[in-house]
Amino acid sequence: MCSLCLSSLLLVLLVLCFSGVSSADTVKATIIGKGYRLVSIQETSDGGLLGHLQLIQNSKVYGPDIPLLQLYIKHETQDRLRVHITDAQKQRWEVPYNLLPREQPPSLRQTIGKTGKKPITVSEYSGSELIFTYISDPFGFAVKRKSDGQVLFNSSSDPKDPYGELVFKDQYLEISTSLPKDASLYGLGENSQPHGIKLYPNDPYTLFTTDVSAINLNTDLYGSHPVYMDLRNVGGQAYAHSVLLLNSNGMDVFYRGTSLTYKVIGGVFDFYFFAGPTPLGVVDQYTSFVGRPAPMPYWSLGFHQCRWGYHNLSVVEDVVENYKKAQIPLDVIWNDDDHMDGHKDFTLNPKNYPRPKLLAFLDKIHSIGMKYIVIIDPGIGVNTSYGVYQRGLANDVFIKYEGEPFLAQVWPGAVNFPDFLNPKTVSWWGDEIRRFHELVPVDGLWIDMNEASNFCSGKCKIPKGQCPTGSGPGWVCCLDCKNITKTRWDEPPYKINASGLQVPIGFKTIATSATHYNGVLEYDAHSLYGFSQSIATHKALQGLEGKRPFILTRSTYVGSGRYAAHWTGDNKGTWEDLKISITTVLNFGIFGVPMVGADICGFYPAPTEELCNRWIEVGAFYPFSRDHANFYSPRQELYQWESVAQSARNALGMRYKLLPYLYTLNYEAHISGAPIARPLFFSFPTYTETYGLSTQFLLGSSVMISPVLEQGKSTVKALFPPGTWYSLFDLTQVIDSKQGKYVTLDAPLHVVNVHVYQNTILPMQQGGLISKAARTTPFNLVVTFPAGASNATAKGNLFLDDDELPEMNLGSGYSTYVDFYATVSQGSVKVWSEVQEGKFALDKGWVVEKVSVLGLDGSGGTSALEVDGNPVTSVSSIELSTSEQKYLEEAEDGGKAKSVMVDVDGLSLPVGKNFAVSWKMGIKA
């Protein structure tokens, strides 16, 4: 459930809040100040460099400059460089080191004055992969990659540049970098990008967590991720790197195509440079720093159904039953706040969701492997008879304004917001979750409205009379409120482009002059609210039963993927929103939050039947796949239209066959950060045609989704990077794309095109209506060689474990990892496995029943079939068959392409034990 207040009031905001031209517009090309000069630099005991920067000339724009800065540089790993700049004489706000663990820079009191170290005379500081260079006056620095000499970041300015030197004031920080004109940039979210995944010059990129509907384009949305990936093609070679500015304050980032400028309203410059040079390497390096993505339970990769407006338990029961009748897979049923008593967290509505009946329902669905998740919002209702509130008050857990709990309004009416920076709050929150879990054994939690969202603005008090009134939209402010403009925290000198309209930064959220634990200002910590709530919720769930937590959060920050999944918020049932959803999902993979998806069919208003058909064909392949709708929208469960049900059975049917592959990708994400859903350039970084492609995506390295994203279309023009691709719905269909090309594919209403790339071994199962049942079915291995290759290899892998365990790793005795290999050489074909820790898979009884090998040369028969070195006789139950493959287009060289697929069926190879299958291909003369 999400607030529609901002999106529905944009015209009002234009009138009330957007008068005149903001500072953000007037100074885009204005040069502020002369920068700093480097006055000292020395080596530190930990191998870093420590220097001091002295202001050259004061400028009054946006307040006085800080006269002396401390500069700290360190190669923290062979592929990560840190550049930290702060006030040399006064401690400044930084992202708390307990929230995002990392090395501490030298303390200020130890660095002012002499250190006993000799000054550095060279202007270059080299690490294994990166080189830091600097100019002293005015100070500017550059970061280069050692292996190729490319300049990745350069803060020095030239008189003709549209930006100036380093600026460092209390409430305004500015720094820029030049960029090659052909660099492709990705990231800087969260926002809805209409131009696709590549950053678009002169589009606004504002970072400040905000409850504004995702239908608003180029607007600061629910998360703040001040990181970008830079991909360049130099001489036919691809080079990627990433830049993180670890700062939680509001900021505008201006990307001009040949330069990028940060304008930040507080904190410090804390830059981290990740050397790459591959896109996967970049995300690996990034997540090794911010935190590896959380392991997800197996069932979370199944299909989820939710709606705001399931008024009572019988409606929920009907939804589950109707999915079963329609033979559409469903793993998880969700409740928005309909289950609550008066919208209050951790409560049950005794009339509409009576506990005995709810528990009986949960027993029923749990017995077949289904799960149940409910929503909780951070706002705690102010109510003297509400135990959660009373315990919170007694433990002093709420954010304060002028010494009293800050009063806001969300769904319950008047609320206070827990301060998750306070250790006492984390303990209290965990206790409330424990109490609620004893009341209702939910399987995960959905934390929403945590930007934090507030239906009111300013300093409020509870009015006489009822609030909310009980009539009209629940998001209309009914508290008695006055604007807060008396402090520089409420009205900073530089106005970021908040909500796309330069609204005050305290608009419809917590007042930015409110205080957290230890006097921390909301002004500084605002964008960390959802992140800190995710950490507290994760800790609470993990402590309940020792099971692997599942948390879905709307607001995210750097490192959120370590604790939670994400959905893209309030989207709209339009074709444009369907298309944009792919870009947002792919961005979050780069942000280290791989478990992500959009509301399938749109949150509001009503989608058309055709759109919902096409959306489930995309959403069935989101990492997180959930249909969710608004209270005011007509019902849009996938069975509501027979045509949509047919598309769902087809697309979700394939997803459920791919669950072992998706779960293995979940494991790879957890150990290396690798996104589950990826842009095509991750696998084809030298193929520049993929750099801006936002209408197709990969699952893992080799499964490509090419959906229909336009109304009335029954074909789709899809890009096929160089190599051979096989249709996953019909393994005999081949597209051989030697140089890379666009191909027009048939895509009638119930068809989504999914292809698997050459050199792959794809583990699949038989599917089912619930992941628990699907997981018990036999395995098929799909092996893909380049079409007609006489010598080729393929490989794949499979991770299996007890998905209730909190950790996802080998060595526990409850997991198995399998590498699959295949070769074809001079007519001999071999497929084999190498197993690590096979006992778990053996105990589960998993077997490989079928192996399909695609792209083989030759049209003759097969012979000499062996399994584990033993010849297969004619009386065996094992069957070997050959099918000629069909090419959708003529071969690019004009010749007649030909290849065959060989199926070996009737096998019973234990997954937990090494196996080998081999045979010889006959070639007709």
Side-chain angles (χ1 to χ4, degrees), residues 627-645:
D627 182 318
H628 180 44
N630 182 281
F631 184 94
Y632 298 97
S633 299
R635 296 283 290 271
Q636 64 182 47
E637 292 84 4
L638 301 178
Y639 55 77
Q640 296 288 347
W641 304 271
E642 178 48 39
S643 71
V644 176

Side-chain angles (χ1 to χ4, degrees), residues 781-856:
L781 299 181
V782 176
V783 182
T784 61
F785 291 127
S790 57
N791 289 279
T793 62
K795 61 182 179 180
N797 50 26
L798 175 66
F799 178 81
L800 302 159
D801 75 346
D802 179 347
D803 68 315
E804 290 198 337
L805 293 176
E807 298 300 323
M808 187 183 221
N809 53 30
L810 289 172
S812 64
Y814 296 94
S815 57
T816 294
Y817 187 85
V818 186
D819 284 303
F820 298 111
Y821 300 95
T823 58
V824 57
S825 179
Q826 304 303 318
S828 294
V829 182
K830 183 179 179 182
V831 181
W832 74 98
S833 70
E834 295 180 2
V835 179
Q836 298 180 52
E837 302 186 32
K839 183 178 184 301
F840 176 73
L842 289 172
D843 290 346
K844 290 292 184 181
W846 282 307
V847 296
V848 175
E849 182 180 76
K850 182 179 179 182
V851 175
S852 300
V853 182
L854 284 55
L856 291 169

Side-chain angles (χ1 to χ4, degrees), residues 12 47 144 216 235 275 315 323 352 390 410 461 487 498 505 509 530 555 657 704 752 764 788 870 879 886 891:
V12 178
K144 298 178 183 178
N216 294 285
V315 177
Y323 266 94
N352 295 330
Q390 290 298 322
V410 201
K461 59 183 181 180
T487 78
I505 56 174
T509 188
S555 185
K657 291 176 183 178
M704 183 171 71
V752 58
M764 301 175 69
N870 300 312
E879 296 180 2
K886 303 183 289 285

